[in-house]
Amino acid sequence: MKVKKIPQRKCVGCNEMKDKKALLRIVRSPEGEISLDLTGKKNGRGAYVCPDKECIMKAVKEKRLERALEKPISEAVTKQLLEDLEHGQQ
C-alpha cells in the first residue's frame, strides 16, 4: 500500500512548512479581489498562512502577503481577513 503524501505549504507569516490542511489559503482572484479561500479550490493566486491573528498580521505588516499575491493589501482587506478568521469561517 502506498502512503499518501500530505502536501506541505509555507506560511507567509511565520515562514514554517506545515501541512496544507493546517493552513488558511488567501487568494487573489483573476479580478483582483482578495479573500479567504475556505475550500482551497478558488481560482487565482494563493498564499498560505497559519489560521491565527499573529501570522496574518505579520504577513501583512512585512508585506509578505502582498508579495505572494502580487497586489497591495489595503486596510479594509486586512480587516476583512481577520473578521473572517474570527468568525471561524474555516
mmCIF file with all atom_site columns, all heavy atoms in Angstrom, residues 62-79:
data_model
loop_
_atom_site.group_PDB
_atom_site.id
_atom_site.type_symbol
_atom_site.label_atom_id
_atom_site.label_alt_id
_atom_site.label_comp_id
_atom_site.label_asym_id
_atom_site.label_entity_id
_atom_site.label_seq_id
_atom_site.pdbx_PDB_ins_code
_atom_site.Cartn_x
_atom_site.Cartn_y
_atom_site.Cartn_z
_atom_site.occupancy
_atom_site.B_iso_or_equiv
_atom_site.pdbx_formal_charge
_atom_site.auth_seq_id
_atom_site.auth_comp_id
_atom_site.auth_asym_id
_atom_site.auth_atom_id
_atom_site.pdbx_PDB_model_num
ATOM 1   N N   . GLU A 1 62 ? 4.793   42.874 7.174  1.00 0.00 ? 62 GLU A N   1
ATOM 2   C CA  . GLU A 1 62 ? 6.085   42.757 6.495  1.00 0.00 ? 62 GLU A CA  1
ATOM 3   C C   . GLU A 1 62 ? 5.938   42.634 4.981  1.00 0.00 ? 62 GLU A C   1
ATOM 4   O O   . GLU A 1 62 ? 6.885   42.275 4.281  1.00 0.00 ? 62 GLU A O   1
ATOM 5   C CB  . GLU A 1 62 ? 6.856   41.564 7.075  1.00 0.00 ? 62 GLU A CB  1
ATOM 6   C CG  . GLU A 1 62 ? 7.175   41.784 8.541  1.00 0.00 ? 62 GLU A CG  1
ATOM 7   C CD  . GLU A 1 62 ? 7.919   40.618 9.169  1.00 0.00 ? 62 GLU A CD  1
ATOM 8   O OE1 . GLU A 1 62 ? 8.390   39.744 8.432  1.00 0.00 ? 62 GLU A OE1 1
ATOM 9   O OE2 . GLU A 1 62 ? 8.010   40.589 10.413 1.00 0.00 ? 62 GLU A OE2 1
ATOM 10  N N   . LYS A 1 63 ? 4.729   42.885 4.509  1.00 0.00 ? 63 LYS A N   1
ATOM 11  C CA  . LYS A 1 63 ? 4.404   42.878 3.078  1.00 0.00 ? 63 LYS A CA  1
ATOM 12  C C   . LYS A 1 63 ? 4.676   41.546 2.385  1.00 0.00 ? 63 LYS A C   1
ATOM 13  O O   . LYS A 1 63 ? 4.845   41.481 1.184  1.00 0.00 ? 63 LYS A O   1
ATOM 14  C CB  . LYS A 1 63 ? 5.125   44.017 2.351  1.00 0.00 ? 63 LYS A CB  1
ATOM 15  C CG  . LYS A 1 63 ? 4.751   45.401 2.847  1.00 0.00 ? 63 LYS A CG  1
ATOM 16  C CD  . LYS A 1 63 ? 4.889   46.440 1.768  1.00 0.00 ? 63 LYS A CD  1
ATOM 17  C CE  . LYS A 1 63 ? 4.584   47.836 2.237  1.00 0.00 ? 63 LYS A CE  1
ATOM 18  N NZ  . LYS A 1 63 ? 3.290   48.040 2.831  1.00 0.00 ? 63 LYS A NZ  1
ATOM 19  N N   . ARG A 1 64 ? 4.701   40.466 3.170  1.00 0.00 ? 64 ARG A N   1
ATOM 20  C CA  . ARG A 1 64 ? 4.930   39.151 2.565  1.00 0.00 ? 64 ARG A CA  1
ATOM 21  C C   . ARG A 1 64 ? 3.707   38.682 1.799  1.00 0.00 ? 64 ARG A C   1
ATOM 22  O O   . ARG A 1 64 ? 3.827   38.064 0.750  1.00 0.00 ? 64 ARG A O   1
ATOM 23  C CB  . ARG A 1 64 ? 5.260   38.124 3.643  1.00 0.00 ? 64 ARG A CB  1
ATOM 24  C CG  . ARG A 1 64 ? 6.607   38.361 4.265  1.00 0.00 ? 64 ARG A CG  1
ATOM 25  C CD  . ARG A 1 64 ? 6.939   37.191 5.154  1.00 0.00 ? 64 ARG A CD  1
ATOM 26  N NE  . ARG A 1 64 ? 8.005   37.551 6.064  1.00 0.00 ? 64 ARG A NE  1
ATOM 27  C CZ  . ARG A 1 64 ? 8.185   36.969 7.238  1.00 0.00 ? 64 ARG A CZ  1
ATOM 28  N NH1 . ARG A 1 64 ? 7.363   36.032 7.636  1.00 0.00 ? 64 ARG A NH1 1
ATOM 29  N NH2 . ARG A 1 64 ? 9.185   37.320 8.005  1.00 0.00 ? 64 ARG A NH2 1
ATOM 30  N N   . LEU A 1 65 ? 2.536   38.974 2.341  1.00 0.00 ? 65 LEU A N   1
ATOM 31  C CA  . LEU A 1 65 ? 1.292   38.577 1.682  1.00 0.00 ? 65 LEU A CA  1
ATOM 32  C C   . LEU A 1 65 ? 1.157   39.347 0.375  1.00 0.00 ? 65 LEU A C   1
ATOM 33  O O   . LEU A 1 65 ? 0.784   38.797 -0.654 1.00 0.00 ? 65 LEU A O   1
ATOM 34  C CB  . LEU A 1 65 ? 0.108   38.873 2.606  1.00 0.00 ? 65 LEU A CB  1
ATOM 35  C CG  . LEU A 1 65 ? -1.221  38.241 2.240  1.00 0.00 ? 65 LEU A CG  1
ATOM 36  C CD1 . LEU A 1 65 ? -1.112  36.730 2.117  1.00 0.00 ? 65 LEU A CD1 1
ATOM 37  C CD2 . LEU A 1 65 ? -2.276  38.587 3.268  1.00 0.00 ? 65 LEU A CD2 1
ATOM 38  N N   . GLU A 1 66 ? 1.514   40.620 0.441  1.00 0.00 ? 66 GLU A N   1
ATOM 39  C CA  . GLU A 1 66 ? 1.477   41.487 -0.734 1.00 0.00 ? 66 GLU A CA  1
ATOM 40  C C   . GLU A 1 66 ? 2.363   40.929 -1.858 1.00 0.00 ? 66 GLU A C   1
ATOM 41  O O   . GLU A 1 66 ? 1.967   40.876 -3.011 1.00 0.00 ? 66 GLU A O   1
ATOM 42  C CB  . GLU A 1 66 ? 1.990   42.867 -0.314 1.00 0.00 ? 66 GLU A CB  1
ATOM 43  C CG  . GLU A 1 66 ? 1.521   43.992 -1.168 1.00 0.00 ? 66 GLU A CG  1
ATOM 44  C CD  . GLU A 1 66 ? 1.751   45.330 -0.490 1.00 0.00 ? 66 GLU A CD  1
ATOM 45  O OE1 . GLU A 1 66 ? 1.015   45.672 0.450  1.00 0.00 ? 66 GLU A OE1 1
ATOM 46  O OE2 . GLU A 1 66 ? 2.682   46.020 -0.917 1.00 0.00 ? 66 GLU A OE2 1
ATOM 47  N N   . ARG A 1 67 ? 3.563   40.501 -1.480 1.00 0.00 ? 67 ARG A N   1
ATOM 48  C CA  . ARG A 1 67 ? 4.487   39.943 -2.478 1.00 0.00 ? 67 ARG A CA  1
ATOM 49  C C   . ARG A 1 67 ? 3.971   38.620 -3.027 1.00 0.00 ? 67 ARG A C   1
ATOM 50  O O   . ARG A 1 67 ? 4.047   38.368 -4.219 1.00 0.00 ? 67 ARG A O   1
ATOM 51  C CB  . ARG A 1 67 ? 5.870   39.736 -1.858 1.00 0.00 ? 67 ARG A CB  1
ATOM 52  C CG  . ARG A 1 67 ? 6.736   40.972 -1.955 1.00 0.00 ? 67 ARG A CG  1
ATOM 53  C CD  . ARG A 1 67 ? 8.204   40.628 -1.760 1.00 0.00 ? 67 ARG A CD  1
ATOM 54  N NE  . ARG A 1 67 ? 8.447   40.011 -0.458 1.00 0.00 ? 67 ARG A NE  1
ATOM 55  C CZ  . ARG A 1 67 ? 8.739   40.675 0.648  1.00 0.00 ? 67 ARG A CZ  1
ATOM 56  N NH1 . ARG A 1 67 ? 8.832   41.982 0.627  1.00 0.00 ? 67 ARG A NH1 1
ATOM 57  N NH2 . ARG A 1 67 ? 8.955   40.048 1.789  1.00 0.00 ? 67 ARG A NH2 1
ATOM 58  N N   . ALA A 1 68 ? 3.442   37.784 -2.144 1.00 0.00 ? 68 ALA A N   1
ATOM 59  C CA  . ALA A 1 68 ? 2.952   36.467 -2.566 1.00 0.00 ? 68 ALA A CA  1
ATOM 60  C C   . ALA A 1 68 ? 1.767   36.596 -3.526 1.00 0.00 ? 68 ALA A C   1
ATOM 61  O O   . ALA A 1 68 ? 1.651   35.842 -4.480 1.00 0.00 ? 68 ALA A O   1
ATOM 62  C CB  . ALA A 1 68 ? 2.557   35.645 -1.349 1.00 0.00 ? 68 ALA A CB  1
ATOM 63  N N   . LEU A 1 69 ? 0.904   37.566 -3.265 1.00 0.00 ? 69 LEU A N   1
ATOM 64  C CA  . LEU A 1 69 ? -0.290  37.733 -4.101 1.00 0.00 ? 69 LEU A CA  1
ATOM 65  C C   . LEU A 1 69 ? -0.076  38.733 -5.236 1.00 0.00 ? 69 LEU A C   1
ATOM 66  O O   . LEU A 1 69 ? -0.950  38.951 -6.052 1.00 0.00 ? 69 LEU A O   1
ATOM 67  C CB  . LEU A 1 69 ? -1.485  38.174 -3.246 1.00 0.00 ? 69 LEU A CB  1
ATOM 68  C CG  . LEU A 1 69 ? -1.931  37.180 -2.179 1.00 0.00 ? 69 LEU A CG  1
ATOM 69  C CD1 . LEU A 1 69 ? -3.042  37.771 -1.339 1.00 0.00 ? 69 LEU A CD1 1
ATOM 70  C CD2 . LEU A 1 69 ? -2.392  35.871 -2.797 1.00 0.00 ? 69 LEU A CD2 1
ATOM 71  N N   . GLU A 1 70 ? 1.084   39.368 -5.235 1.00 0.00 ? 70 GLU A N   1
ATOM 72  C CA  . GLU A 1 70 ? 1.430   40.366 -6.248 1.00 0.00 ? 70 GLU A CA  1
ATOM 73  C C   . GLU A 1 70 ? 0.381   41.471 -6.355 1.00 0.00 ? 70 GLU A C   1
ATOM 74  O O   . GLU A 1 70 ? -0.017  41.878 -7.430 1.00 0.00 ? 70 GLU A O   1
ATOM 75  C CB  . GLU A 1 70 ? 1.612   39.686 -7.623 1.00 0.00 ? 70 GLU A CB  1
ATOM 76  C CG  . GLU A 1 70 ? 2.734   38.656 -7.602 1.00 0.00 ? 70 GLU A CG  1
ATOM 77  C CD  . GLU A 1 70 ? 2.783   37.806 -8.857 1.00 0.00 ? 70 GLU A CD  1
ATOM 78  O OE1 . GLU A 1 70 ? 1.850   37.871 -9.670 1.00 0.00 ? 70 GLU A OE1 1
ATOM 79  O OE2 . GLU A 1 70 ? 3.773   37.063 -9.009 1.00 0.00 ? 70 GLU A OE2 1
ATOM 80  N N   . LYS A 1 71 ? -0.093  41.926 -5.204 1.00 0.00 ? 71 LYS A N   1
ATOM 81  C CA  . LYS A 1 71 ? -1.084  43.005 -5.173 1.00 0.00 ? 71 LYS A CA  1
ATOM 82  C C   . LYS A 1 71 ? -1.019  43.692 -3.808 1.00 0.00 ? 71 LYS A C   1
ATOM 83  O O   . LYS A 1 71 ? -0.899  43.013 -2.801 1.00 0.00 ? 71 LYS A O   1
ATOM 84  C CB  . LYS A 1 71 ? -2.482  42.404 -5.384 1.00 0.00 ? 71 LYS A CB  1
ATOM 85  C CG  . LYS A 1 71 ? -3.575  43.451 -5.468 1.00 0.00 ? 71 LYS A CG  1
ATOM 86  C CD  . LYS A 1 71 ? -4.905  42.761 -5.676 1.00 0.00 ? 71 LYS A CD  1
ATOM 87  C CE  . LYS A 1 71 ? -6.085  43.633 -5.912 1.00 0.00 ? 71 LYS A CE  1
ATOM 88  N NZ  . LYS A 1 71 ? -6.124  44.990 -5.711 1.00 0.00 ? 71 LYS A NZ  1
ATOM 89  N N   . PRO A 1 72 ? -1.095  45.034 -3.792 1.00 0.00 ? 72 PRO A N   1
ATOM 90  C CA  . PRO A 1 72 ? -1.091  45.729 -2.494 1.00 0.00 ? 72 PRO A CA  1
ATOM 91  C C   . PRO A 1 72 ? -2.299  45.319 -1.644 1.00 0.00 ? 72 PRO A C   1
ATOM 92  O O   . PRO A 1 72 ? -3.384  45.110 -2.167 1.00 0.00 ? 72 PRO A O   1
ATOM 93  C CB  . PRO A 1 72 ? -1.185  47.213 -2.871 1.00 0.00 ? 72 PRO A CB  1
ATOM 94  C CG  . PRO A 1 72 ? -0.855  47.279 -4.311 1.00 0.00 ? 72 PRO A CG  1
ATOM 95  C CD  . PRO A 1 72 ? -1.159  45.938 -4.904 1.00 0.00 ? 72 PRO A CD  1
ATOM 96  N N   . ILE A 1 73 ? -2.078  45.187 -0.354 1.00 0.00 ? 73 ILE A N   1
ATOM 97  C CA  . ILE A 1 73 ? -3.144  44.779 0.564  1.00 0.00 ? 73 ILE A CA  1
ATOM 98  C C   . ILE A 1 73 ? -3.605  46.009 1.330  1.00 0.00 ? 73 ILE A C   1
ATOM 99  O O   . ILE A 1 73 ? -2.818  46.638 2.027  1.00 0.00 ? 73 ILE A O   1
ATOM 100 C CB  . ILE A 1 73 ? -2.618  43.725 1.574  1.00 0.00 ? 73 ILE A CB  1
ATOM 101 C CG1 . ILE A 1 73 ? -1.906  42.571 0.865  1.00 0.00 ? 73 ILE A CG1 1
ATOM 102 C CG2 . ILE A 1 73 ? -3.735  43.242 2.488  1.00 0.00 ? 73 ILE A CG2 1
ATOM 103 C CD1 . ILE A 1 73 ? -2.747  41.507 0.269  1.00 0.00 ? 73 ILE A CD1 1
ATOM 104 N N   . SER A 1 74 ? -4.885  46.347 1.208  1.00 0.00 ? 74 SER A N   1
ATOM 105 C CA  . SER A 1 74 ? -5.407  47.540 1.887  1.00 0.00 ? 74 SER A CA  1
ATOM 106 C C   . SER A 1 74 ? -5.831  47.208 3.320  1.00 0.00 ? 74 SER A C   1
ATOM 107 O O   . SER A 1 74 ? -5.977  46.048 3.691  1.00 0.00 ? 74 SER A O   1
ATOM 108 C CB  . SER A 1 74 ? -6.608  48.087 1.121  1.00 0.00 ? 74 SER A CB  1
ATOM 109 O OG  . SER A 1 74 ? -7.673  47.157 1.197  1.00 0.00 ? 74 SER A OG  1
ATOM 110 N N   . GLU A 1 75 ? -6.037  48.265 4.107  1.00 0.00 ? 75 GLU A N   1
ATOM 111 C CA  . GLU A 1 75 ? -6.500  48.114 5.493  1.00 0.00 ? 75 GLU A CA  1
ATOM 112 C C   . GLU A 1 75 ? -7.805  47.321 5.522  1.00 0.00 ? 75 GLU A C   1
ATOM 113 O O   . GLU A 1 75 ? -7.994  46.444 6.345  1.00 0.00 ? 75 GLU A O   1
ATOM 114 C CB  . GLU A 1 75 ? -6.794  49.497 6.098  1.00 0.00 ? 75 GLU A CB  1
ATOM 115 C CG  . GLU A 1 75 ? -5.579  50.257 6.557  1.00 0.00 ? 75 GLU A CG  1
ATOM 116 C CD  . GLU A 1 75 ? -4.945  49.643 7.797  1.00 0.00 ? 75 GLU A CD  1
ATOM 117 O OE1 . GLU A 1 75 ? -5.649  49.380 8.783  1.00 0.00 ? 75 GLU A OE1 1
ATOM 118 O OE2 . GLU A 1 75 ? -3.723  49.419 7.754  1.00 0.00 ? 75 GLU A OE2 1
ATOM 119 N N   . ALA A 1 76 ? -8.707  47.672 4.612  1.00 0.00 ? 76 ALA A N   1
ATOM 120 C CA  . ALA A 1 76 ? -10.029 47.039 4.564  1.00 0.00 ? 76 ALA A CA  1
ATOM 121 C C   . ALA A 1 76 ? -9.912  45.535 4.336  1.00 0.00 ? 76 ALA A C   1
ATOM 122 O O   . ALA A 1 76 ? -10.617 44.744 4.965  1.00 0.00 ? 76 ALA A O   1
ATOM 123 C CB  . ALA A 1 76 ? -10.867 47.677 3.466  1.00 0.00 ? 76 ALA A CB  1
ATOM 124 N N   . VAL A 1 77 ? -9.011  45.143 3.447  1.00 0.00 ? 77 VAL A N   1
ATOM 125 C CA  . VAL A 1 77 ? -8.811  43.723 3.146  1.00 0.00 ? 77 VAL A CA  1
ATOM 126 C C   . VAL A 1 77 ? -8.267  43.008 4.379  1.00 0.00 ? 77 VAL A C   1
ATOM 127 O O   . VAL A 1 77 ? -8.754  41.940 4.754  1.00 0.00 ? 77 VAL A O   1
ATOM 128 C CB  . VAL A 1 77 ? -7.855  43.534 1.933  1.00 0.00 ? 77 VAL A CB  1
ATOM 129 C CG1 . VAL A 1 77 ? -7.438  42.085 1.784  1.00 0.00 ? 77 VAL A CG1 1
ATOM 130 C CG2 . VAL A 1 77 ? -8.522  44.020 0.660  1.00 0.00 ? 77 VAL A CG2 1
ATOM 131 N N   . THR A 1 78 ? -7.289  43.622 5.048  1.00 0.00 ? 78 THR A N   1
ATOM 132 C CA  . THR A 1 78 ? -6.710  43.042 6.255  1.00 0.00 ? 78 THR A CA  1
ATOM 133 C C   . THR A 1 78 ? -7.804  42.842 7.303  1.00 0.00 ? 78 THR A C   1
ATOM 134 O O   . THR A 1 78 ? -7.906  41.785 7.913  1.00 0.00 ? 78 THR A O   1
ATOM 135 C CB  . THR A 1 78 ? -5.620  43.969 6.832  1.00 0.00 ? 78 THR A CB  1
ATOM 136 O OG1 . THR A 1 78 ? -4.669  44.243 5.808  1.00 0.00 ? 78 THR A OG1 1
ATOM 137 C CG2 . THR A 1 78 ? -4.910  43.332 8.008  1.00 0.00 ? 78 THR A CG2 1
ATOM 138 N N   . LYS A 1 79 ? -8.629  43.876 7.481  1.00 0.00 ? 79 LYS A N   1
ATOM 139 C CA  . LYS A 1 79 ? -9.705  43.816 8.463  1.00 0.00 ? 79 LYS A CA  1
ATOM 140 C C   . LYS A 1 79 ? -10.679 42.685 8.131  1.00 0.00 ? 79 LYS A C   1
ATOM 141 O O   . LYS A 1 79 ? -11.090 41.921 8.999  1.00 0.00 ? 79 LYS A O   1
ATOM 142 C CB  . LYS A 1 79 ? -10.440 45.168 8.478  1.00 0.00 ? 79 LYS A CB  1
ATOM 143 C CG  . LYS A 1 79 ? -10.948 45.546 9.843  1.00 0.00 ? 79 LYS A CG  1
ATOM 144 C CD  . LYS A 1 79 ? -11.476 46.964 9.843  1.00 0.00 ? 79 LYS A CD  1
ATOM 145 C CE  . LYS A 1 79 ? -12.859 46.909 10.428 1.00 0.00 ? 79 LYS A CE  1
ATOM 146 N NZ  . LYS A 1 79 ? -13.897 47.673 9.901  1.00 0.00 ? 79 LYS A NZ  1
#
